[in-house]
Amino acid sequence: MRITMPTAVIEGTQLTVMPFRADAVIGTMSVPTLVQLVPSPRREEDTRTLKAASGAVRRHAELRSLVQRALKSTQKGKNVGSYAEYIADGVQGELGAGWSTPPITFWHEGPLAALSDELLPGTGLRTLTITPGTSVVAIDGETQTTAWHELYDDPERFGLSYAELAQVRVPFELYVDLSVADARQIFYDRNVQGVVVAKNLAMSMDQRDFATRLAHRVADAVKVDIDDKLVPFTKLVNASKRQVGKTDPEVITLSALRALVITTIYGRNGLSRSAETVHEDELPAGTSPEQVEQNVVPLLARLISDRSADFVSRSAITAPAVLAGLGIAVHHTMPWDASVNALSSDELRRLLTGIRWEREARYWDGVAAKASASGRLNFSGGVKDSGGRVADAILGSGTEAGRKIRGQ
């Protein structure tokens, strides 16, 4: 009598997915599945840990090195901890609905062990099976992958539990049976073809940033006269661009208005903070968020209202560096200004009286802009480059630069 062998059963990790092209699918997986399926990139770069690892992990590390950049001693690696904290805050509900992690892009080295027919006709949903030991590499989203490993290695450190992490679904896309060359190309396309968002613009989108919130409140508090109609100043603030175009209906960017807010709060120290998140616990010593808002918002709203014609005409006052310098001057009227240059509101008003805001070289060349051979002004100098010079000219009415911007 011969004992017959059982019918072959395909074992491995099963995922419910939807194909979006012949060699790629999308879906979600649990955090435990993620950390089991894809080894920790950080551990794969640890020589001693890798030496004691299984052959499958060592082979995975070799394959990863062909299509990924290093974590160790790079900014990418330094970002892992803060990314893990961000995810933990989101999972715990501390960020409300305003948080997100992009789908991770994985590469499955060889063919799948199995792919089912549609689970429900017409839906496209299928079940795929990945056999144990198969190399699955994150070719985009590796920092996030490493962050999930950090969270799962020690959830208590981030205020989480294994039970909470087990309930999380991580979105992904999976490319199947591609060559190393194709996987490298996807890595390149994802990291190079996309346009990197300027940091100042990105900061102006951050609604958890105190300065961004104040900039919105300043804009909300002002109405300007355009063709005998009162128009909310928010309609003149562009929140999606780094620079306002000639044909745009807006006259100022939100990042420029944010620079005005930051230098009003911090003075000259604000010039270096224009591309940094402003946290409420980092406000000037002895102040509270409520006090800062109560002082900054009405004063800046009144300043913009008083000079609404200069804003509407797109004069030099709308340039980011000019606004930053103006904010430094305004800072000296704040009750928390500890310098010897403290000003009253009336003194500030007198300093601003007579300034020629027209975009002309005779006023602003060498202060906030550079003039070409034809005399055309270029205000492309950033907040850090020119904001200090503008402040010196505004505050020093008797200096050469001060007289220049006043047409004297």
Side-chain angles (χ1 to χ4, degrees):
M1 172 182 172
R2 291 178 60 84
I3 300 176
T4 58
M5 299 298 292
T7 304
V9 176
I10 301 173
E11 298 179 341
T13 303
Q14 291 192 334
L15 299 170
T16 301
V17 299
M18 178 181 287
F20 64 89
R21 70 185 213 191
D23 53 9
V25 299
I26 57 173
T28 65
M29 67 175 72
S30 68
V31 177
T33 298
L34 169 62
V35 298
Q36 177 190 15
L37 202 59
V38 186
S40 167
R42 196 188 290 284
R43 288 199 202 93
E44 289 192 342
E45 291 185 6
D46 187 321
T47 307
R48 285 183 294 182
T49 300
L50 196 60
K51 191 176 294 185
S54 66
V57 172
R58 291 199 301 272
R59 182 175 178 279
H60 185 280
E62 291 175 5
L63 196 64
R64 172 188 170 271
S65 68
L66 298 176
V67 297
Q68 261 296 351
R69 50 186 169 160
L71 277 171
K72 193 173 183 179
S73 302
T74 65
Q75 187 60 46
K76 176 184 172 184
K78 293 175 183 176
N79 288 343
V80 170
S82 58
Y83 205 158
E85 291 172 358
Y86 169 75
I87 294 173
D89 289 344
V91 171
Q92 293 175 90
E94 294 182 10
L95 305 180
W99 75 287
S100 173
T101 56
I104 301 173
T105 302
F106 293 120
W107 166 43
H108 185 287
E109 180 199 9
L112 295 169
L115 182 65
S116 73
D117 294 330
E118 283 187 307
L119 301 178
L120 187 64
T123 64
L125 292 173
R126 303 176 181 223
T127 298
L128 62 76
T129 304
I130 299 173
T131 54
T134 300
S135 289
V136 177
V137 178
I139 52 178
D140 191 49
E142 190 178 61
T143 305
Q144 183 188 158
T145 300
T146 312
W148 284 117
H149 272 277
E150 297 278 308
L151 290 166
Y152 204 74
D153 284 347
D154 188 4
E156 290 83 7
R157 179 162 66 95
F158 297 93
L160 292 171
S161 65
Y162 287 110
E164 287 176 302
L165 286 174
Q167 295 175 7
V168 177
R169 304 295 299 181
V170 181
F172 70 90
E173 55 180 341
L174 177 67
Y175 290 83
V176 178
D177 201 17
L178 300 185
S179 66
V180 171
D182 286 338
R184 281 176 173 163
Q185 189 62 51
I186 291 174
F187 172 87
Y188 173 86
D189 292 347
R190 290 297 175 88
N191 288 279
V192 177
Q193 295 286 25
V195 177
V196 177
V197 178
K199 195 167 184 181
N200 280 355
L201 174 59
M203 292 306 308
S204 71
M205 297 291 185
D206 184 3
Q207 299 308 299
R208 284 187 290 275
D209 174 72
F210 183 72
T212 296
R213 296 203 306 272
L214 254 58
H216 280 293
R217 285 169 190 160
V218 169
D220 290 337
V222 181
K223 288 188 177 181
V224 296
D225 190 317
I226 299 179
D227 298 329
D228 296 325
K229 291 182 180 179
L230 285 180
V231 177
F233 190 66
T234 51
K235 291 185 177 293
L236 303 183
V237 179
N238 191 310
S240 63
K241 284 186 175 182
R242 186 180 180 183
Q243 293 181 327
V244 175
K246 290 181 179 179
T247 59
D248 290 333
E250 300 88 1
V251 301
I252 188 177
T253 63
L254 182 60
S255 60
L257 183 58
R258 182 177 177 273
L260 171 64
V261 168
I262 290 177
T263 51
T264 297
I265 296 172
Y266 294 101
R268 289 182 188 272
N269 291 335
L271 296 175
S272 61
R273 301 189 63 115
S274 61
E276 298 178 359
T277 300
V278 175
H279 299 286
E280 292 186 2
D281 59 0
E282 297 173 345
L283 293 174
T287 66
S288 67
E290 294 75 20
Q291 180 190 9
V292 171
E293 181 175 349
Q294 289 167 7
N295 281 274
V296 170
V297 173
L299 194 151
L300 292 185
R302 187 165 60 252
L303 186 151
I304 293 171
S305 181
D306 290 345
R307 284 168 176 73
S308 59
D310 296 314
F311 279 94
V312 172
S313 65
R314 299 175 183 248
S315 73
I317 202 172
T318 62
V322 175
L323 284 170
L326 181 58
I328 293 172
V330 176
H331 170 75
H332 293 306
T333 68
M334 295 292 109
W336 56 85
D337 173 38
S339 72
V340 296
N341 299 316
L343 298 171
S344 67
S345 296
D346 288 340
E347 288 172 326
L348 175 65
R349 192 174 295 111
R350 283 196 294 271
L351 280 175
L352 299 182
T353 299
I355 292 180
R356 304 301 298 263
W357 300 109
E358 300 96 321
R359 286 182 176 245
E360 295 183 17
R362 54 180 167 163
Y363 307 131
W364 296 101
D365 180 28
V367 180
K370 291 182 180 179
S372 65
S374 62
R376 182 175 179 177
L377 274 184
N378 183 351
F379 281 85
S380 62
V383 167
K384 294 180 183 179
D385 297 331
S386 306
R389 288 198 300 272
V390 173
D392 291 339
I394 292 175
L395 294 168
S397 56
T399 65
E400 181 180 351
R403 290 192 296 272
K404 183 170 188 175
I405 66 172
R406 291 170 175 83
Q408 297 172 357

